[in-house]
Each structure stands twice: as structure tokens, then as C-alpha cells.
Amino acid sequence: MSARDLIAGEAELGSESDDESYDEDTGEARRKTNGTNGHLDDSSEEEEDDDDEEAARAVREGFIVEEDEDEEEERSRRRKERKKRRREEREEEEAGLDEEDLDLIGETNPEFIRKPQEEPKLKRLKRGHREDRVEGRPRGVDDIFNSDEEEEELSREDERRQARGRVMEDEFADFIEQDFSGDEGQERNQEDAEVARTVRRGYTGLQDTSGLDEAALEDMKEAFGDGMEYDWALQLQEQEEDERVGRDGGEEGGLSKAIELKDVFEPSQLAERMLTDEDNEIRAIDEPERFQIARKPYKNLFLTDEQFKEEGLWISNLMWQRKQLDSNLEEPFQRSVAKVLEFMVSEDFEVPFIFQHRKDYLIHAAKVAVTPDPSNPNASQYVVSAEKLLNQSDLWDIFENDLKFRALIEKRNALQKTYDNLVSTTNSKDTVFEEMLPLATTMEELQDVQDYLYFQHSARLADLQIVNGTATNGTQRRPGAKRSIFDRVRHGKVYNLVRAFGITADAFATNASKREGRRQYTEDPAENPDDMANSEDVLDPPEYSSGPQCLRSAKAMFAEEICLSPRMRQVMREAYYTTGVIDCIRTDKGLKKIDEHHVYYEFKYLRNQELQQIARRPDLFLKMLRAEEEGLVEVKVRLRNYDRFKKSLYKDIESDNFSEVAEAWNKQRREALDLALFKLDKIMGRGLKDNLKSECEDQVAKACRDEFSKKLDQAPYKPKGMMLGTVPRVLALSSGSGTYGRDAICWAWVEEDGRVLENGKYTDLSSGDSERGTADGVDVKKFVELVNRRRPDVIGVSGFSADTRKLYKQLEQLVDTHDLRGGEYEGEDGQELSDKLEVVIVNDEVARLYQSSDRANHEHPGFAPLTKYCVALAKYLQNPLKEYASLGRDITSIAFDSAQGYVSAEKILKQLETALVDMVNLCGVDVNEAISDMYTANLLPYVCGLGPRKAGQLLKAININGGVVQTRAELVGDAEQRKVPAVGPRVWNNCASFLWIEFDSSEPESDYLDNTRVHPQDYDLGRKMAADALELDEEDIQAEQQENGPGATVRKLIKDESQEKVNDLILEEYAEQLEKNFNQRKRATLETIRAELQQPYEELRRNFALLSTDEIFTMFTGETRDSLQEGMIVPMAIRRVSDDAIEGKLDCGVECQVQGGDIADRLDVSAKQLFTPHQTVQGKIKTLNRKYLTANISLSESDMRRPFRRDFDRLPEEWDDRQEGEDRNALAEKNDVSGRTQRVIKHPMFRPFNSAQAEEYLGSQARGDVVIRPSSKGLDHLAVTWKVANGVYQHIDVLELDKENEFSLGRTLKIAGRWTYSDLDELIVNHVKAMGKKVDELMLHDKFKEGTRAEADRWLTTYTEANPKRSSYVFCIDNKHPGCFHLCFKAGQNAPVQAWWVKIIPGAYELQKVQYQDMRALCNGFKVLFTNMLKLKRR
């Protein structure tokens, strides 16, 4: 059954494509008249001319039958159904009471009163279905976009009451004009009348007999029956219909059961729209949404009081070392962390609430005595010294560490439960486990204890699992194959040899730790190891039948016990974290690929890096791990002075006796320890790398968060003369990636409310020159008129290329020349002033994402992409916070740190969202503005306590309540005023102070404090401060409150404009009284109240930050200080050549100039003799001006011989110079053997690349693009690399013949001995481009499949399984042989998948050494070849 079958005629969906529309006046469904599915036909010619495709589609969907074949049959069937229906209705009417029967009964019983006829049951399908639902129904399809369900439910009750007392007229009357004529019209009208007639069965719901007494009812039953005689038949009929509905999903069945969202949408769609049951549960639970999602894995975990105290100390110890506070603040720091945890866990307060309203608990305030002043006896005898213990980032760290601790406790509880079950069944205890489990404070240490438990008691735990029939509480078992070997040793005679080592693994680990009390001594047996191994007490045939075998097994067992000892692992981990170093060893692949210009070269020969150094460079370590994944290097972790460490461990395991037996046993002990250390080294190295990687990722993610916070911490661009926070009017312009002066310039005018009132294009804004007699550009007048008419506060400019700076300078010149000014403002002396308009280069990272987004297409469907880009630039100037918040998950597309690409997007997003939460709650959200403005609504998910689900629920509830919020208290609902709750009490506590409502003095319900950062819990403090500032006594306060409500004192303070009086209050005394009497620390809260009473929700963000020179350079060119700097050798495209100068341009758009002395070493040669326009040459950057985007380049041979080398800050022992020298010499010898010399060819596509560099360069280019480069085969060869597809590049060897000299280009170019060309242009067009066209033709063919050969084979297998009698073939690219494709085919279900190669040659395809000119010929040729092959096999 499909989802369509569950929907009754699709009336339930009510989409635009259905046959119903919505009447805005009545709220009822309205049937459309066009289309073949309606009851009425449209006689217009357009409907008669519907094409066959529409009819065929309707047939497929099962809505109509083809009229040409079945029209008569359909009419006949309808007539039969009508006759049958009329006959059934007559029988039912005969069984019921008609009008005359009721009149007769009324005459015999005067008390009987006839009630009016009830409303017919058959209403419009859509409305009737909705009204039939009961309260508490599951959400259905109709409810997807319905934001007024509760309101509509109330109105439906009133409609039902009104409908009970009136007779409903035929709802189709006068609805549409009847345009039928003849027999067809009569037949249609008769059908409509029958549909409109009430369907009845027996007496049920048809006539009202409530006015009859018992005697009259008895008489009626005797005369007419009680209507129950044929119930058995009706029940059978209903059962049959129910079965049919369940089987067919018919129309009536669709109406009888409410359709839920999960019946219509895929689970992935519901999850994307946050409409799953889990999402609804999050909406319903009164707990901050972010808490619910983060704590979901641990929602069934409850911490005891002891564990809660342990958590406070655990988190404090993790954070203390990084805080770098004075040692005397450690105890206050621990108390502060514990209090924050209490707020988060016990009271469900989110980070912004704690930071804003519990700030006193984040500060340590102490009274410091001062020397008394004799001249001022009333002076205070102490001063308050305040030290900030925790900042907002620390609060987020506490939240994350709380989750980590919960995971730790959950694992610890699971291990404890497993151990308790083991003890209860075996009555044996393990002292090592009982001692080490409470000491495990990290997941690694818990894993050590778990590994030990499953090693030491593996057999018993396996038996326990079998008895219980379940897994052991989610703990993870190690592989069982090894366990069986060690179990056999442990339970056999060989274990006597293990005991003979004289010391247990845990005792040895105790000695090695050097801090576990008294040393454990090793005891030597009386026999030497060989003799004991051959004794009867050890030999255990048939498995262990020889002494050497037993000795090897015993050493392996003892080594494994040492390796799995939790205490020994603790010793090793401590050694690695204190004395461990990291070496980076290049692989053979890395030797070739990582050259001096490669980004990985800075660690190619890096050695002896301590962990503290790595922690200071997290980006470096993440690069090393990425290079290791690519197979270019190997990152190794080792102990510094490993041999000395191992010798110290020998002393801890050896015995102190002096004898041959003791020496023999000590030798065996050392060998067992060496075996254990070999395993431990691997385990520790792997664990350290994983931990270090996680730590470095966290550091990079936090660096991204810090950078993002700086971008968010900027107010809207401040117009001159206005208050900070005023939204400006903006004119934004951009030429995109076009060339200034040649391509169009798009512009958009955006009002302060975000509306785009005007937009357009300019082609020429160049300024004229009166001295030279040149006039202004054709669009200058229009531009000046626009600015003078609109009076913007600022002009914003940005773009994708370096030419944008020319536009910026040109606009500045126009502003100066035409004296263009911004809006007027009132100066200090009261005069109207206006300043010269400012032109600003705007950060476009949001605009680049916006211009091609679905959101932009929805908001401005008719705008060009570049115009949408300008709109986003303007809105960024108006409020950067709203623009960043509107990006959602796309925020990770913005680069905040150079190492961001080495960290998962989810981890980056998590940190960026915390920055948004902090800043949104700092600024607050106008909740009434969020209802009408989408950009403001985008901020709601980041409000404290809310999230995307609860924010949507909040807006929905506000709309139900009337669409306006007058007080913060309304958000929790008001039963008397019929206000539904928008949030629960706990969530309200979190979000109330961050949702502000503009104060309206004319509204009696409006509260001034609702417009401030003051929390409703502290309103009484604010009112008390206002009353004290006004010097009101208790009687005055009561009188004011009786007249104007609880907020009367604050109203009076504002009305009298006496806010500054609160500055005279001594808040220290207030704070002391609150702490003494109510145990509440409110010093910082009182300061907040004082500030908010004077200026509510003051703008606390920094001024709008203009871009720095480096930021502008990177935005316009895409280059950073690392990627482009002085001394680098870069390709330059020559634009103009004179005798003593050359002008060119770099790929990034930086304009270059080569002065005469830098053209060549020979001064007697002019530039025109050596270079030509449009030629690409290699040049060395001598100077780089990042502000003006210009560079000076040298082309001289002497400068080019000195290669660019990066300077790395490293000590001598940190770099393997010997290995670097050996590798450089080896590569030089290889180049000498190949005879490769640097060549320069005068061609725009020539690049001095090797194959890897050519592939990297073409990686971002289009398919079919080409690079000509030197060949490694000698000076008589060239290499041509072209991009076949993404990740696939073909390298073509070109043989040069008829050369003038060894450096010149040959007059004849030959490829593979088959194709000959006279120059490079001919080769590119007739060879490479010709092959590129054939590749495009093949990849656009319907038989081509994206993906690998294996994926194509799977597709063929699936297809033939679904179509067993058919064969199929597809083409797919061959990634291993560029220029070739696979032709994969499968001749039936049981045939194997085969593949032939298709080779691309200039202008044709080659299959089985036969050439085909196009795809049609290739496919036909394949079929012929395959048929011939089958014929040969049959012979």
C-alpha cells in the first residue's frame, strides 16, 4: 500500500496540485472546476487541448480512464451503481420513520416536539475529515503548516453548536455555474443530487424521538419494529467494507483513520524538518533543548551525592592547570566550579543564564583591610578585592566536561556491575580490580581496568554470559581467540612456571611506580628455568610436551600479565606523557611528493618534538596526521632515553640474589619484560596519538570559536552622529569577478528595516578629467542622483577579484568630486549636520554563500546572483550577527583558522554555535519583532533555553495567542486570558531575560523591566532600587502600586526622567543585606539593574570592525602571507611589453611590473626580444604591496637560480639535516641521470611543473583543460597533461623533431608515433581538445554511469536480477588508465560481468582495435562484436 492510497482522493493534503483550493473568507475547502477529475467539466478550449502526456500521467496515477476506449463502459457502470444505491436508500427509508409517521405520533402525544433536521453528515471532504477528529489526535498531514490548531479547535466547537439548530442548505448551490446541457447535464445533476442526499442506515442519527414517552415508544416499536431486525446483515456489510478498506486503502478508509506525518513522509524527511516523535518529545519536556540533546546518551544515569562531589573535583583538576591563577585561589576555584555544576545539573540553567544572572559565583571577592586614615575616621576600614575565576568559555568547558564525566561514570558503573555479578556467582574477589577501579579517572584508565578484568577472568565471564544469556552490560570484550590460549596456560600446569618468576605483574608494577610504598622483592626458585620447564610439575602433554615450549608459553603469559596490568599501564602512560617525543619519518612516497614548496615540508625531517611543543602548535600535529593518512610520512612516538628507562625497569623485576640460578631466572624475566614493553610501546603510542589528536582538534575548534566571536562582536555600522546600535541605510555595489571598466556593476539599496527598495546595474562610473577633456562615465549622473535622493549612511563595496579595489577607489573619487554626503543628524549645538559619505570595503564571506542559496532565491527570486550578493553586503553592514545566524550549518563553510580543514565539521559547528549563543544572549531578541521578521527569528534558536524546536514552538504559541507578546509572564501561559504556554517554567527561567519587549508607557500592562536584561526573578530588586532612588517611603510605594500596578515605581522613575538617581545608591550595602538575610549573592546583579534602569539593553558590542589590509588582500586574491610572499617564484601572465619594462598579472589578480634591470642579466637585450604579450613566464617576487595589490617581479636568470626557501623556527636537534642532505643528493643524481634541465616555452599554457604539480594545478580547472610542461625524458620531449575527469589526468609524451637547438621548440611534434603536428596550438586543438569532446560525448550518454568499475558491476547485477531475461551494458571511467573507459556488460542474470576497454583517440573511440566516430556507432559496433563472439563460441 503506498502513501497515496492512504490519502482520500488527495483531499487531505490540500496541496497546490490537488483539485481543491482554500476559501480565505469561510475557511472551507473549495473544489476546482478544471481537470477531468472534478464533478464539473470546463468547456474552455484550453482544457480540450490538453496534451496526451497529461492524460497518460493521469491514467498512470489511477485518476481517470482513457475516454476513447472505456467511455461507454464507464457510463453504464455508473448507471448501474446509481440504481443499486437508490434501491438501497428506498429500503432504508421504508425501515425508518418518515415525516407523516412522526406527525401521527405527534397527534397522539401532544408533548412530543419535533426538532429541526440536523446538519447533513456529508460535508466537504476536507473539512468533514478534520471535524471528525477527536482531541488528542496524532498530528496529521493537515497540521504540518497549521500554526493555529488550538485556536481553530475552539472555533470549531462554536461552529458545531450553531450547526445543531439549523438545516444546512446544499453547499454546492450557487457555488459554481451549471454549464451542462442535454442528457449529460441531467445525468451529472442527478449524480450531484444523489451525492448530496443524506446516507442513512436504520434509525441511527436520522430522526429524534426524545420527545416520546415510554408508552408511545412501545406502540411505535410494535407498529414499526425497533430497527434491530436486520442488524446482523448490516454488521456483516460493515465488516466486509472494513476488510475492503484495509485491503485497498479506499476513500472511506482514508477518512476513517487520521493520517499521521510518518504515514506520508520518509523518516529522513521528518528528521530533517524536526517532526519525529523524538523531536516532539524535546518540545514537550520542560528542559533546555541543548541540554536534552547533549545528555541524551545519559538520560537514564543518575549521579549520587558522592559522585556529584567527585565530579566537581574532577573538573576542577582538569581546568586548574590551564587557568594559571594564584595558588591561594584553588579552593575558591573548586567551590565556583561546584556551584556552576549545581546550577547546570540541579536547576537546568544554561551557560548564558549563569554568566548573566549568577555572575557573583564566578568571582572571588575578599575584603582586604586598609590602614586607617586619621583624617577621615568615617572611611571604610577595608576594600573589596575581586578576582575573576571563570569566564564564559570556562562555563562551556564545564558543560562539556560534565558530559565526559557522565560517560566515565556510566562505564565505571557497568564495570562494577559486571564485577559484582562475577563475585556473586564465583565467591572470588580480585584485589587489583577493587583497588584500581576507584582510582581510574580517565576513559583510558577505565579501559585498562576492563582489559584486565576480561583477561584475568575471561573464562568465568564467558560462563556468566552463557548463564545469563545476555551481554555484560554493554562493556566491550577483547577478541576471544587469544583468551583461550592464555586460559589454557592459566588453568594448566604451565602456570606453575609463571609463578616461578617470583613476582606478580602487579607487584612488579608497584615497584616500577616508585611511589606505592614498600618495594616488592622477587623470589628465585631452587631450580633453573630449563630444568623446571622439563619437570613433571610443568609438562602438560599433548599441548605442552617439551621444556622449551613450556618456557616460551610461560614467558608469553607473564608478559601478557604485565602488559594488561592497570598499574603497569599507568606507569608507562606517565612515562610517555612526561618524557615522550614525536618523530616524523618520511616514506618513499613522501620523498618524491613532498618537495621544498609543499605544505608538509616543514615536518618532513622533524625529530624530537616534545608534547608541550606539539600542544603549542596543534595545526602542525594535525597536518602530520593527515600526511600519515596519505602515506607520505610516519608519525612515531617514543620515549626519550628509552634504554635508561628499560634498565630501571630491569632492576624492579630482577631478584637481588647472586647465583647461576638467579641469573638464569633474571634473564628470563628480562626477556618477558622486553616482550611486554614491545606491546606496551605500541599501545601507549597509539593512545597518546589519539589523545593528542583530540586535544589538538579541540584547540583548533576553540580557536575558530574565538575568531568567530570577534566577528560576531561588532555592532551595526554606526552612522555619523547616531547612537551605537543604530541600523544604517546602505547602498552596496560590486563588480563581482568581472574586470572593472568592462563588466557591469550591480547595486542594491537596502533600507534600515531590511527592505530592498531599488537595485540595478551600472556600466561606466569612471570620473572625467577636465584638463584632458574627458567626460564622466555614462552612469555617473545616475549614481549621483541615486545618492542624493536616497541619502545613504554608507556605501559598501566588495567583490571576488583584485579589480574590486579599482571600483572602491573610483567610488571614493566620485564622493569627493561631487561632494556626496550622508544623512543629516543633529549636532551638539542643535544644528543639522551631514558628513561626507564613507565608502567601506565589506567582508563578503556571508554574501558569497548567500548569493546562490535557496534562501536568496526565495527572498529575491527575480534578482541576479550578483545583486543578491550586494543585498547580503548591505545587510552585513546593518547587522553582522543576524547574517551569521541565518547561515545555519553553512557557517562551517567560512574559514576561521588555517587548520580548520583538519577538524571534523561537526566539532567546528559545535564550537561556533556556542559563540552564537553567547552573542545572541548578550544582545537579546525582540520577541515581537521575531514574529514578523525572519532574520530576527533566526536568532531565537540560540536564545538561552531554546533551540530550533522550542523556538518554532514559541512562535507558534505566540501566533495562537494573538501574535503579540505584552509581558514576559505571558510566555508561560495564562488560563484566565486563554493564553497557551509558549514555554515551560524551567525553560522560561532560562530565556525570559533574553527576550525583551519594547516598553510602551501608554499600555498599562507594559512593564519597563521587560525591556531590560533584568530577570523577572530580580524585578523586586529593580523596583526597590527605583523606589529608593526616588526616596519613596512604604506608603508612597503602596499608593503607586495600587494605582499603577507592581511596576509603578519604575514607571515613575522613567516618567520623571530620574534614571541617573540610581547612581547615588550604595549597592554594596544592598548586596550585604541580601547575602546575610537571603543567602543570595547579588552584587553583580545589582550593577546590571542599575545600568539597565538607565539604558535598557544597551549595545555592548564593539564598533563595526573595518577590514585590515591583510584581510582585504586575502578576500580579493585568495592568498595569505604564507601562500604568497617575497622571494617566491610564481607564474606571471605578460600583458604589455616595452623595451625597458614589462607589465603582467599573477593568477591571483595582483598586478606586476618588471623594471629594466630585472628583465635579464644581459643589459644589451631588450624585453621585446625575449618576451611577448600573452606569454606566461616564471618570475621571482622582489616586493609585494598588499595594500595596493601590486608586486615587482624579477625575470633575471641570476635571481631565478636562487630558489625560495621558507624559514622554520627550529633547533638543530629538531631537524634531521643528515637525512635531508642525503635525500637532496639522491634526487639531484636522479635529475642528472635523466638530463632534465629547466626549460621555458613561449606559450600561455606552459608551466614549469612536474606531473604532481600539474595535477594539483588542474584539480580546480574545468574538464579538458591543458598544461604544457617540461618532460623528464630529456630536452627533445615535452609533456602535455590534460584533465580527463575529476581526479583523472592523462600525461601525453610529445617528441620534438627538427629543433634549431636543444632549448627551442621542435618544428614537428609527434605523439605515440601516430599523430604529427606542426605547433603546440594545432596539437592542443586537434589532439587534446578532440579527445576532450569525445570524453564529453561519452560521459553525457545515457549509458554512462558515474563511479568506479565495482559500482558499475553492482548496478548491472542488480538490474539483471530485477530483469532476469534481459541483458545490459554501461560505460564507466577507468581511473587507473586515463583516457580509457570500461564498457561493462552482463548477458543475462546468470552470466558473469565482463568489461572491454574503450580508448579515447582524437576524434574517435577505439574498441577491440576498431575505431568508431560517435557513440551511436560505438554502441552498435559493440553489439555486433559481441554477437560475433557468441557465434564463434557456439562453433
Side-chain angles (χ1 to χ4, degrees), residues 1344-1399:
F1344 177 76
K1345 293 293 180 185
E1346 293 282 355
T1348 62
R1349 161 78 188 280
E1351 291 172 345
D1353 291 351
R1354 284 196 296 269
W1355 185 91
L1356 288 171
T1357 302
T1358 304
Y1359 178 83
T1360 52
E1361 287 176 354
N1363 304 274
K1365 297 182 179 180
R1366 302 195 63 179
S1367 304
S1368 185
Y1369 67 96
V1370 295
F1371 297 92
C1372 67
I1373 197 165
D1374 185 354
N1375 295 318
K1376 295 182 180 179
H1377 301 88
C1380 294
F1381 287 78
H1382 291 296
L1383 198 169
C1384 306
F1385 57 93
K1386 195 170 189 292
Q1389 182 181 13
N1390 299 322
V1393 178
Q1394 302 181 58
W1396 290 350
W1397 262 338
V1398 177
K1399 186 177 181 181

Side-chain angles (χ1 to χ4, degrees), residues 528-548:
N528 63 43
D530 294 331
D531 294 340
M532 179 174 285
N534 286 301
S535 67
E536 292 295 330
D537 294 335
V538 174
L539 292 175
D540 194 4
E543 259 185 301
Y544 302 101
S545 56
S546 66

Side-chain angles (χ1 to χ4, degrees), residues 1120-1182:
T1120 64
R1121 284 195 173 272
D1122 291 332
S1123 63
L1124 190 68
Q1125 54 184 285
E1126 295 175 356
M1128 283 186 169
I1129 298 176
V1130 294
M1132 179 187 72
I1134 297 177
R1135 300 169 65 184
R1136 283 182 289 274
V1137 181
S1138 63
D1139 289 334
D1140 57 353
I1142 297 175
E1143 293 181 7
K1145 204 171 190 178
L1146 301 184
D1147 290 337
C1148 62
V1150 172
E1151 295 186 347
C1152 310
Q1153 191 168 16
V1154 185
Q1155 301 296 336
D1158 296 325
I1159 296 176
D1161 290 338
R1162 293 177 56 187
L1163 301 178
D1164 57 340
V1165 180
S1166 69
K1168 289 185 177 181
Q1169 292 177 294
L1170 299 174
F1171 304 101
T1172 59
H1174 309 297
Q1175 181 183 355
T1176 300
V1177 296
Q1178 295 291 112
K1180 190 169 188 175
I1181 301 177
K1182 296 189 69 176

Side-chain angles (χ1 to χ4, degrees), residues 12 22 26-29 119-137 142-143 146 152-164 166 168 171 255-256 258:
E12 192 64 17
Y22 185 76
T26 65
E28 295 183 353
E119 181 181 353
K121 287 188 177 180
L122 182 62
K123 291 195 172 186
R124 293 193 184 274
L125 184 59
K126 194 168 187 177
R127 190 182 67 177
H129 181 31
R130 288 181 177 175
E131 290 179 354
D132 288 341
R133 295 185 190 169
V134 296
E135 294 184 9
R137 70 202 187 291
D142 299 303
D143 305 325
N146 185 10
E152 289 182 0
E153 281 296 321
L154 295 173
S155 63
R156 289 195 200 107
E157 280 296 324
D158 296 335
E159 291 176 3
R160 293 194 196 100
R161 295 193 193 98
Q162 296 172 5
R164 291 193 186 105
R166 69 173 188 270
M168 179 179 175
E171 65 177 356
L255 293 176
S256 63

